[in-house]
Amino acid sequence: MPMIAAKEGPAQAPASGQAADGVLQPIGISDERRRGRGAGLNMAGRFERRATENVDDGWDSHEDLPPFKTTVQEEKARTIITRNASPDISFDRSINPYRGCEHGCSYCFARPSHAFMGLSPGIDFEARLFAKPNAAELLERELSAPGYVPKPIAIGTNTDAYQPAERSYTLMREILEVLDRYHHPVAIVTKSALVQRDIDILARMAERNLCKVALSVTTLDKKLCRSMEPRASAPHKRLQAIKALSDAGVPASVMVAPVIPALTDSEIETILEASAEHGAAEAGFVLLRLPREVSELFRDWLLRERPGQYQHVMSLIRSMRGGKDYDANWGERMRGKGPYADQIAKRFQLAAKRLGLNTRRRKLNTELFVSPQKGGVQLDLF
């Protein structure tokens, strides 16, 4: 087994190939160990006081380390509706029935949230998951709160509710059953064709203008998708999901997200065209975001998978982020700024207009909401 070196102080992973002590060299996670994962690193969370790293001790035995396996730990959540006051997003509440996401998108802006669990935003984020089995009960209870004012609940904003674990846990379906029962509007974003499983509920809700679903499509290139989003649905499956939803009367749209300069931005028009052909009525886009640890993880992915494009991609990203990998300013974090960012926005707008997308933005109905009877579900005190 390789030597494990421990370091005190704020946890920070060394740059790829950097010597840990001038003699021993850190070794990356082997392809075999991280097979099917988007991240190539598993640095300690930023709140940890101690970091460990694998180093080659000269015995050439690091291949003996076991591969990363997905585990799902159940947590009994205390609340399920998360509130936000962000001025540049269209919703003020959301639900995340899972922490972490097995889709493993190398660029996922939600990865840093795993550090709050004492885990790595790297492979831990996609391999060590948490499920909230009491999500539906909590939702019913919170909808029954005195003075609750209904507004659309967004789902899929932090991690994908239709990730592979949902096949066995069915938490998303249980949540939809509650929302359907009390006529509460919901907006869903997903990269998974599994959303088609719940078309029966979504179609009922759509008849009352209570739901809409957006499929996020980053690229139509299957090889790039498999590398960048290893466990998300293939691009053609997402397009098929748009068609299935649309055919069932469920308002379906596409999110070209994230747009990655010099890597996927050339596909903006083709993604919109394919989505429109499959029944999408609305569309949106989000520029690549690289907050905190995501920057290191995405740069590592670029160096491994697209080394010849690394300098070009990162140069354009920084040109739209004030010279940095990321700028979190309200109003700019989703779109960037500068000539290249303006060009992306203009191309998107022209293509959407040509294809008849976004001619009418659907506003979900909040007037049908009926508060749960008898105070909702009584939760345990302990």
Side-chain angles (χ1 to χ4, degrees):
M1 301 291 285
M3 180 182 297
I4 304 296
K7 300 187 294 183
E8 296 289 347
Q12 293 183 352
S16 179
Q18 176 185 341
D21 57 4
V23 179
L24 297 177
Q25 289 285 348
I27 57 175
I29 298 172
S30 69
D31 291 346
E32 194 61 35
R33 287 198 70 206
R34 61 175 180 80
R35 186 177 300 277
R37 305 295 178 185
L41 304 173
N42 206 40
M43 73 285 276
R46 63 187 178 280
F47 302 116
E48 305 308 300
R49 297 189 61 184
R50 171 175 293 189
T52 62
E53 62 191 40
N54 295 334
V55 295
D56 188 351
D57 59 6
W59 290 100
D60 298 323
S61 57
H62 51 266
E63 68 275 11
D64 296 331
L65 290 170
F68 288 91
K69 294 184 178 179
T70 302
T71 62
V72 182
Q73 179 179 332
E74 294 185 1
E75 69 166 292
K76 193 168 185 179
R78 296 183 178 181
T79 61
I80 198 62
I81 299 178
T82 301
R83 309 281 180 153
N84 80 82
S86 301
D88 58 351
I89 55 179
S90 61
F91 57 89
D92 69 353
R93 64 199 70 182
S94 59
I95 292 176
N96 291 291
Y98 301 96
R99 295 182 191 266
C101 185
E102 197 176 359
H103 284 166
C105 301
S106 58
Y107 53 73
C108 181
F109 70 87
R111 284 181 176 274
S113 64
H114 237 44
F116 291 101
M117 307 299 290
L119 298 172
S120 173
I123 292 181
D124 281 352
F125 177 80
E126 50 195 284
R128 299 180 65 178
L129 312 178
F130 297 82
K132 305 172 185 177
N134 61 336
E137 295 179 5
L138 283 171
L139 176 59
E140 189 166 355
R141 176 64 177 268
E142 291 174 31
L143 294 183
S144 71
Y148 176 82
V149 178
K151 289 185 179 181
I153 290 177
I155 303 181
T157 59
N158 198 50
T159 61
D160 202 315
Y162 283 106
Q163 61 180 284
E166 171 63 14
R167 294 185 183 278
S168 55
Y169 277 90
T170 68
L171 302 183
M172 184 59 183
R173 186 170 180 85
E174 293 172 8
I175 288 170
L176 287 177
E177 288 171 343
V178 172
L179 296 174
D180 178 35
R181 187 179 310 136
Y182 301 112
H183 310 284
H184 195 293
V186 62
I188 301 167
V189 179
T190 182
K191 286 185 172 72
S192 176
L194 180 59
V195 67
Q196 295 171 97
R197 179 201 64 189
D198 297 333
I199 280 182
D200 56 332
I201 302 176
L202 293 170
R204 288 200 305 268
M205 297 183 72
E207 292 175 354
R208 290 162 283 159
N209 192 25
L210 293 175
C211 73
K212 56 183 178 180
V213 180
L215 271 293
S216 176
V217 181
T218 312
T219 177
L220 297 178
D221 183 328
K222 291 182 180 179
K223 184 177 180 181
L224 176 59
C225 178
R226 175 61 63 89
S227 169
M228 191 165 57
E229 307 162 339
R231 302 197 182 194
S233 295
H236 71 281
K237 291 290 186 181
R238 300 183 213 180
L239 293 175
Q240 290 172 7
I242 291 176
K243 178 171 174 52
L245 289 161
S246 180
D247 289 349
V250 179
S253 61
V254 63
M255 285 296 298
V256 186
V259 174
I260 305 175
L263 190 62
T264 67
D265 60 342
S266 62
E267 297 187 66
I268 291 173
E269 290 84 359
T270 53
I271 291 173
L272 291 177
E273 289 166 3
S275 300
E277 290 173 0
H278 283 77
E282 297 182 9
F285 82 93
V286 177
L287 186 67
L288 176 69
R289 298 167 58 190
L290 299 177
R292 297 187 180 274
E293 296 92 342
V294 186
S295 174
E296 182 179 5
L297 289 163
F298 181 73
R299 286 187 284 110
D300 174 76
W301 177 86
L302 264 181
L303 286 170
R304 282 188 288 107
E305 301 293 336
R306 297 295 176 103
Q309 294 172 268
Y310 177 87
Q311 293 293 346
H312 192 195
V313 172
M314 294 308 302
S315 175
L316 288 175
I317 288 173
R318 289 163 184 158
S319 76
M320 295 184 281
R321 300 296 190 186
K324 301 177 289 185
D325 286 1
Y326 183 57
D327 189 340
N329 286 338
W330 302 124
E332 296 178 359
R333 57 180 184 153
M334 306 289 189
R335 295 288 186 267
K337 61 182 178 180
Y340 203 87
D342 293 342
Q343 182 186 90
I344 287 175
K346 189 65 174 178
R347 284 174 53 203
F348 175 88
Q349 292 163 4
L350 289 173
K353 182 178 180 179
R354 171 171 56 84
L355 295 166
L357 298 168
N358 299 333
T359 56
R360 183 175 67 88
R361 288 285 187 177
R362 180 179 292 269
K363 186 176 181 180
L364 298 179
N365 192 346
T366 60
E367 297 179 359
L368 300 178
F369 174 69
V370 178
S371 180
Q373 300 297 312
K374 300 180 181 178
V377 177
Q378 179 65 46
L379 301 180
D380 293 334
L381 182 59
F382 301 102

